[in-house]
Amino acid sequence: MRKFHLDTDLGGDIDDLCALAMILNWPELELAAVTTVSDDQGRRAGYARYALDLAGRRDVPVCAGADISQGYYRPLQPGFPDENAYWPEAIQPVPGPADDAIALLKRSVEQGATIAPSGPLTNLALLEKRCPGVLRNAHVVLMGGHVFPPRKGFPQWGRDMDYNIQVDVASAEYVLQHSNPTLVPLSVTVETALRRAYLPDLREAGPMGQLLARQAEAFARDENMETRFGQTCEGLPHDIINFLHDPLACAIALGWNKGVEIREIPVKSEIINGSLHQTVDISGKPTKVVTSVNGSEFSDFWLSAVTRSEKPNL
């Protein structure tokens, strides 16, 4: 049975919870552990623990990793939405030394688990600095990177919107230089959509589905993507609530490949004026980059996987 380790900033953008819900329903997969990053005294770890308990998965260990108090994320400071709107009750934080999270990551790498960072790369950088060389042969598939612009018909976002990379550029550059990850960049994840049309099915999909529907409705009120992108981007459905950034990266890490093209490209990554710039350069490091995907097909696949209406078909 394959092992999978999710390193997440769950508790902000709701796509992290969408990813966790999908992973928990993936067949023949062992979720070895969940570690949180850019945490705030265990607040994200508390959210992850609550969601796992809701799904009946007390067996999955959760540890809070790098904390916002440690100064990794300046000048951008990760935030949290209104807990009362997004969660059905007050959630108890699960604080703990970041060392425990790094130890969990190390164990997962040594066990051959796929490592899926769906947030800043701080924890992976801390692991590599503690155990030099540990990431060299690890199977890492991360959501992030800005090598090519998005296709026409989708939000024309630049590198400044590549949150997972830009919020802690020092760690991102370090991990990219000391590992051989597959990048699932913003240019392809913006072709996915969590749609309002999915909400009825989610509400019928048990406690986790109901939590997803609750958070989707709250996110729709807060972000108004239906107006911002559904009405302005011809490649997106009109009822888009959010993008499925992290679920797509996790699904590709697990073998979902419909319309997925992965190319090895020489990518030069360097910090310029406080931002990480990635360019195609013959002198760059050979890097596996997802360059295309069928976003609408994945979005429907995600719904079927989360609601268990069908098993993932790879």
Side-chain angles (χ1 to χ4, degrees):
M1 183 177 289
R2 291 177 296 174
K3 294 180 181 289
F4 194 84
H5 185 118
L6 182 64
D7 187 65
T8 177
D9 58 351
L10 191 150
D13 192 312
I14 63 173
D15 66 320
D16 291 84
L17 183 64
C18 292
L20 178 60
M22 181 191 71
I23 293 163
L24 290 173
N25 279 349
W26 206 276
E28 300 181 7
L29 182 71
E30 177 188 343
L31 181 55
V34 174
T35 47
T36 58
V37 66
S38 68
D39 212 318
D40 183 5
Q41 303 301 310
R43 187 171 177 181
R44 295 192 195 279
Y47 291 146
R49 180 75 273 161
Y50 179 90
L52 287 164
D53 290 353
L54 199 65
R57 296 300 306 273
R58 286 291 305 173
D59 59 302
V60 179
V62 175
C63 278
D67 196 271
I68 60 176
S69 65
Q70 296 171 291
Y72 298 114
Y73 307 108
R74 297 172 184 169
L76 299 172
Q77 196 70 284
F80 298 87
D82 178 14
E83 185 172 289
N84 292 328
Y86 282 72
W87 300 88
E89 58 186 281
I91 309 298
Q92 293 300 312
V94 181
D99 286 351
D100 289 351
I102 305 310
L104 267 183
L105 264 173
K106 180 174 183 289
R107 185 182 74 177
S108 292
V109 170
E110 291 172 344
Q111 292 178 344
T114 295
I115 311 299
S118 64
L121 300 181
T122 322
N123 286 341
L124 270 70
L126 292 173
L127 171 60
E128 177 64 25
K129 290 175 181 178
R130 176 176 298 181
C131 306
V134 69
L135 294 180
R136 185 178 301 115
N137 297 314
H139 183 215
V140 177
V141 180
L142 64 89
M143 191 274 121
H146 196 277
V147 181
F148 300 108
R151 292 194 303 141
K152 183 180 178 181
F154 300 95
Q156 295 301 296
W157 288 345
R159 68 175 62 88
D160 58 309
M161 292 295 290
D162 190 14
Y163 177 85
N164 289 352
I165 299 297
Q166 301 300 342
V167 74
D168 179 7
V169 293
S171 292
E173 183 192 42
Y174 193 83
V175 169
L176 292 170
Q177 293 301 324
H178 291 83
S179 66
N180 295 291
T182 297
L183 307 185
V184 186
L186 200 65
S187 56
V188 297
T189 63
V190 294
E191 299 192 15
T192 65
L194 169 60
R195 302 181 58 187
R196 187 172 292 277
Y198 296 165
L199 297 185
D201 286 340
L202 289 173
R203 293 191 189 101
E204 297 298 320
M208 180 66 84
Q210 291 160 18
L211 178 60
L212 287 170
R214 177 194 182 99
Q215 294 205 356
E217 290 178 315
F219 195 87
R221 291 192 298 269
D222 288 348
E223 300 296 332
N224 193 27
M225 288 193 176
E226 289 161 292
T227 298
R228 293 166 57 203
F229 303 118
Q231 296 180 15
T232 61
C233 297
E234 62 184 17
L236 292 171
H238 68 278
D239 62 341
I240 182 172
I241 290 176
N242 193 18
F243 300 94
L244 293 169
H245 303 291
D246 296 335
L248 176 62
C250 290
I252 290 174
L254 290 168
W256 187 84
N257 59 10
K258 298 297 178 65
V260 175
E261 179 180 296
I262 301 176
R263 295 167 53 195
E264 187 169 270
I265 299 167
V267 177
K268 184 177 182 180
S269 301
E270 56 185 338
I271 298 175
I272 302 175
N273 296 326
S275 296
L276 187 78
H277 290 238
Q278 292 184 293
T279 54
V280 178
D281 190 304
I282 193 170
S283 67
K285 181 179 179 180
T287 304
K288 292 180 180 178
V289 181
V290 176
T291 56
S292 66
V293 67
N294 187 324
S296 60
E297 185 168 353
F298 172 74
S299 302
D300 290 342
F301 164 84
W302 172 84
L303 178 67
S304 66
V306 168
T307 59
R308 298 183 181 178
S309 56
E310 66 178 53
K311 290 184 178 180
N313 181 5
L314 307 183

